[in-house]
Amino acid sequence: MDEEMGEEAGGEEFADEGGGEEFADEGGGVEFADEFAGPESFLEERFEDKFGEEEGGAEGSEEGGEEAAEEEDLSYLTDIGPAKEIQNEGFSFPGIGNRKITWFAAQLHILFASFILGCPMFVVIMEVMGSRRTQGVRKAIILSNVFLAVLIGVVFGIIGEIIVGIHHGVLYGLWACSFGALVVSFLNYFHRLINVKASCLVGGVVGGILAFILVPGAHVAVDNAILAFLNGVVGGMLSNYIMFAEADFKFERLAHEITKVIGFCYSFTALSGGLFLFVMMVAYKDFISYLVNAYPILFMIGYPTLFILETIVMYVYVYSWDPLNKANKKGRHIVTGIILNILGLSLLCALDGPATLMQTPPKPYDALFTTMTEWDRIATATWMPLNYHRLVGNGTFGGFMVGIIAAYMYLWSRDPKEREYYDWVGYMGNAIGVMIMIPLPAMGYIFVREIYQYDATIGMYIMSDRESMFMLVQGLLIGTMFSASNVYMWVSMKRIDNAHRFFPAMKLGFVLIVIAAAIWFTPRRFFATMLPEPGMNPDMVLPDELAFLALMVSKNTAAFALVTVTLINYIFYTIATRTGKIHWGKINPMGPYILIFMGFTDIWLMSWMGVIRELSRMNWHIYKVYKDVTPEKFAPTLAESGVFVTGIVWTFFIIMTAIIWLGLKYPKSKKAKAQQAEGALPAPSVAE
């Protein structure tokens, strides 16, 4: 009878809910049999406990049902089984430890990512300059002009915001330049507004008016109006020039060859990114879980979607080059390249959110997961400044990497025509790198300014405390790059007729560059802390009469001098190339090696700046939110960091050299040998 009753009521589940040992404890052994003499009364009681709505039911039975529900054991719903008994043991990577292997994987991934994000930005422009102006290409040029105008407008707007102090300068530059380019490009497409001066005027007026309409809270002021008008003029002028420029196949070839290298590098970007993720999952599993929980939509939807789309579009862009050219659909290929750039920049901005959360999490900290949304955790105080800095930095990096490619191919080539071409490619790579590098100090300034406004402790730690010597090395690298770029322009001008007339002024510029660079990396004290610690010589400071060299006013003046002299020398260089005959392929033997040196220095500088930014969190994974309690939480010494970064840079440099050889040199050599073999074969005899 009892077994049948148990089956009717639900077997083990019924016993768990009201019967068995649990019920016996409540009812009490022998009393159970006395109180419930038959199955009918037992079922009635269980029915009342379950629903509490039987007629004649007492309040006591309802309370008993609630207690039973509260005491019901639901642990089986979350019980993972025997695996819960296993404790995760800490793991340390053999030889170098967890932090250094994470450091290595992350930095290698960022370097490859910087290349595949930086190079496509101007590869598309090079492709446009090398394309015949068919109707499809002219349509695509409208979109490419707007894309280029957005980049230029943001840079000019930031410079206006920093130097002049224009509020919302970035937005004025963005809207004015982009709309000026859009309107002028649209009119140029229909062969209207062909005159350059008219294009500049229309772009300035239309872009300026629309900028004032679109900028929130805009009020008419002289400096705002000038900035908006000038950006509109730039957008209109560039659009007119690009739309009506004569196609040059050298640009097409340059873009195609760089794209081949990008295809190789994309695979290494994915591989190094996977290595970084696996290392983080093992070495810092708790922290990576916390970070993913902070961005569920980004990591589950946003990042995978952008990554997959970028991968698809990138391979379409690489492998559709020749087919679309043959089908006379070049415009579609250009549009594909623009879409690739938009996806890449979106991916960059999305991943800068978690990066800046670690350094400047939004305040108050206790509201990160309560009142704040995921967007609040992305749009931190330093999110947009880091986006600006990486955008310009990646463009500079891409330009100097093109210089490395040109230098290698120039040195590997024996054909005079090939050497002429790669001499020209080196000129283009250096020009792009230098022009984009000029506003780079302004991007760094706005990033550091936001850090100081967020928490001056971080700024002081970087500029005056533990990382002050790291900043000294950074200044040395930046000064070296500016000096090397000017030396390259000097040796390049020696192969240009009548360029010697600029040499006296350039010699004076070299003296100013050396002085400015020396001021930039001159510290106030030569020990690496705010105050001297045991073992440090407290007398290692600048004399009082030279202390002004360490002030920010002096540093900013030195940076301005470096940028100004470089810009003036570049203007001399441009005038010389347009007024004198250039003997391509006859560059001074130092030229290619200077290009390689500048590229290597830029790789080193990017890696070093990443070290400074990451170490500024001190002993926190997320500043003042998630503390680093691992044995490797200490800040490494300058020497240790320098040696390790150099190892990363050499690894990337060697891999890139192999990629350039496999992607460009080897196919050319193989093709040349095949042609030689065909030429050596005897002519086929004619049958009689």
Side-chain angles (χ1 to χ4, degrees), residues 157-175:
I158 292 174
I159 295 174
E161 188 170 327
I162 293 174
I163 296 178
V164 186
I166 300 174
H167 186 55
H168 288 321
V170 176
L171 296 180
Y172 282 111
L174 168 66
W175 294 125

Side-chain angles (χ1 to χ4, degrees), residues 342-383:
I342 294 173
L343 291 172
L345 293 176
S346 300
L347 194 60
L348 170 70
C349 295
L351 293 183
D352 279 346
T356 55
L357 174 76
M358 296 168 65
Q359 188 173 25
T360 56
K363 300 175 182 179
Y365 302 131
D366 56 0
L368 275 175
F369 288 91
T370 54
T371 60
M372 292 187 189
T373 64
E374 186 170 345
W375 174 251
D376 295 327
R377 294 189 287 272
I378 290 177
T380 64
T382 55
W383 181 55

Side-chain angles (χ1 to χ4, degrees), residues 506-533:
M506 295 183 71
K507 289 179 180 178
L508 177 61
F510 286 134
V511 175
L512 295 176
I513 287 175
V514 172
I515 295 174
I519 293 174
W520 196 340
F521 57 75
T522 298
R524 178 68 176 89
R525 45 189 171 270
F526 293 87
F527 45 82
T529 54
M530 185 83 68
L531 298 174
E533 295 183 354

Side-chain angles (χ1 to χ4, degrees), residues 322-648:
D322 290 331
L324 289 180
N325 274 359
K326 293 177 181 178
N328 196 26
K329 296 179 179 178
K330 190 64 174 176
R332 298 184 182 182
H333 192 265
I334 294 172
V335 172
T336 304
I338 297 170
I339 296 173
L340 174 64
N341 277 279
I342 294 173
L343 291 172
L345 293 176
S346 300
L347 194 60
L348 170 70
C349 295
L351 293 183
D352 279 346
T356 55
L357 174 76
M358 296 168 65
Q359 188 173 25
T360 56
K363 300 175 182 179
Y365 302 131
D366 56 0
L368 275 175
F369 288 91
T370 54
T371 60
M372 292 187 189
T373 64
E374 186 170 345
W375 174 251
D376 295 327
R377 294 189 287 272
I378 290 177
T380 64
T382 55
W383 181 55
M384 286 309 298
L386 184 60
N387 289 335
Y388 300 148
H389 193 266
R390 282 187 166 173
L391 172 65
V392 178
N394 288 345
T396 303
F397 183 73
F400 287 127
M401 289 304 299
V402 171
I404 289 181
I405 295 172
Y408 275 141
M409 296 303 296
Y410 181 89
L411 295 172
W412 289 338
S413 299
R414 295 293 177 264
D415 185 357
K417 294 293 183 182
E418 289 290 290
R419 292 173 73 91
E420 289 180 10
Y421 167 71
Y422 286 112
D423 186 9
W424 173 81
V425 173
Y427 159 76
M428 292 301 303
N430 178 73
I432 294 169
V434 170
M435 290 305 297
I436 303 178
M437 182 176 65
I438 287 175
L440 188 57
M443 306 300 116
Y445 174 81
I446 193 173
F447 180 64
V448 175
R449 186 186 67 180
E450 290 296 330
I451 290 177
Y452 266 99
Q453 292 178 351
Y454 173 83
D455 190 336
T457 303
I458 304 176
M460 296 296 290
Y461 186 81
I462 295 174
M463 304 299 295
S464 305
D465 201 356
R466 299 282 175 181
E467 290 195 297
S468 58
M469 293 296 106
F470 287 74
M471 292 298 294
L472 173 66
V473 175
Q474 179 190 1
L476 179 63
L477 290 170
I478 294 175
T480 301
M481 285 195 62
F482 273 100
S483 301
S485 63
N486 283 273
V487 171
Y488 178 79
M489 287 187 280
W490 170 276
V491 299
S492 297
M493 291 174 69
K494 290 186 175 181
R495 55 170 160 72
I496 303 176
D497 293 340
N498 299 322
H500 61 276
R501 64 186 187 276
F502 298 110
F503 288 171
M506 295 183 71
K507 289 179 180 178
L508 177 61
F510 286 134
V511 175
L512 295 176
I513 287 175
V514 172
I515 295 174
I519 293 174
W520 196 340
F521 57 75
T522 298
R524 178 68 176 89
R525 45 189 171 270
F526 293 87
F527 45 82
T529 54
M530 185 83 68
L531 298 174
E533 295 183 354
M536 297 181 180
N537 186 354
D539 297 328
M540 295 181 64
V541 296
L542 283 177
D544 293 338
E545 55 270 18
L546 296 177
F548 71 94
L549 295 176
L551 298 176
M552 285 306 299
V553 175
S554 301
K555 305 296 184 185
N556 292 337
T557 303
F560 181 77
L562 279 174
V563 170
T564 302
V565 172
T566 303
L567 180 60
I568 292 173
N569 284 342
Y570 184 76
I571 293 173
F572 289 159
Y573 190 21
T574 303
I575 295 174
T577 57
R578 293 185 178 183
T579 58
K581 181 180 179 181
I582 307 174
H583 299 277
W584 296 114
K586 303 296 183 181
I587 190 172
N588 188 291
M590 288 178 57
Y593 295 102
I594 295 174
L595 289 176
I596 295 174
F597 174 78
M598 283 194 296
F600 185 88
T601 306
D602 193 38
I603 299 169
W604 218 100
L605 177 61
M606 286 193 63
S607 303
W608 194 248
M609 292 171 70
V611 172
I612 294 173
R613 187 173 59 83
E614 294 300 321
L615 292 181
S616 66
R617 301 193 309 268
M618 294 165 264
N619 61 333
W620 297 88
H621 287 309
I622 300 178
Y623 184 67
K624 291 188 177 181
V625 173
Y626 196 116
K627 199 166 188 177
D628 183 2
V629 294
T630 63
E632 299 171 302
K633 61 184 178 182
F634 60 89
T637 63
L638 182 68
E640 181 183 4
S641 300
V643 170
F644 196 73
V645 168
T646 302
I648 297 173

Side-chain angles (χ1 to χ4, degrees), residues 142-162:
I142 297 176
L143 185 60
S144 69
N145 284 345
V146 174
F147 172 75
L148 179 62
V150 168
L151 301 180
I152 294 176
V154 167
V155 174
F156 284 2
I158 292 174
I159 295 174
E161 188 170 327
I162 293 174

Side-chain angles (χ1 to χ4, degrees), residues 170-345:
V170 176
L171 296 180
Y172 282 111
L174 168 66
W175 294 125
C177 197
S178 58
F179 276 104
L182 175 63
V183 172
V184 172
S185 298
F186 185 78
L187 293 173
N188 290 162
Y189 173 77
F190 294 101
H191 294 280
R192 306 292 182 185
L193 213 65
I194 298 177
N195 184 270
V196 176
K197 294 181 179 179
S199 296
C200 292
L201 180 60
V202 171
V205 173
V206 174
I209 293 174
L210 291 176
F212 274 96
I213 294 174
L214 294 173
V215 174
H219 60 279
V220 179
V222 176
D223 51 0
N224 295 1
I226 292 176
L227 178 64
F229 179 77
L230 289 180
N231 275 276
V233 168
V234 171
M237 180 179 61
L238 286 176
S239 298
N240 182 279
Y241 172 74
I242 294 175
M243 183 66 77
F244 297 117
E246 185 178 353
D248 190 340
F249 180 74
K250 288 189 298 184
F251 289 101
E252 166 81 6
R253 180 183 172 185
L254 166 61
H256 196 187
E257 290 185 346
I258 301 303
T259 302
K260 294 178 181 178
V261 179
I262 292 174
F264 275 94
C265 289
Y266 197 88
S267 301
F268 281 92
T269 305
L271 290 173
S272 56
L275 173 63
F276 172 61
L277 178 60
F278 289 135
V279 169
M280 286 290 291
M281 291 172 61
V282 176
Y284 300 98
K285 51 186 176 297
D286 294 333
F287 171 64
I288 197 67
S289 298
Y290 179 90
L291 199 61
V292 170
N293 288 333
Y295 299 100
I297 298 176
L298 175 63
F299 285 115
M300 292 184 65
I301 301 175
Y303 177 72
T305 302
L306 288 172
F307 180 76
I308 292 171
L309 289 176
E310 185 190 25
T311 303
I312 294 172
V313 174
M314 193 278 296
Y315 281 110
V316 169
Y317 184 72
V318 172
Y319 292 105
S320 66
W321 196 296
D322 290 331
L324 289 180
N325 274 359
K326 293 177 181 178
N328 196 26
K329 296 179 179 178
K330 190 64 174 176
R332 298 184 182 182
H333 192 265
I334 294 172
V335 172
T336 304
I338 297 170
I339 296 173
L340 174 64
N341 277 279
I342 294 173
L343 291 172
L345 293 176

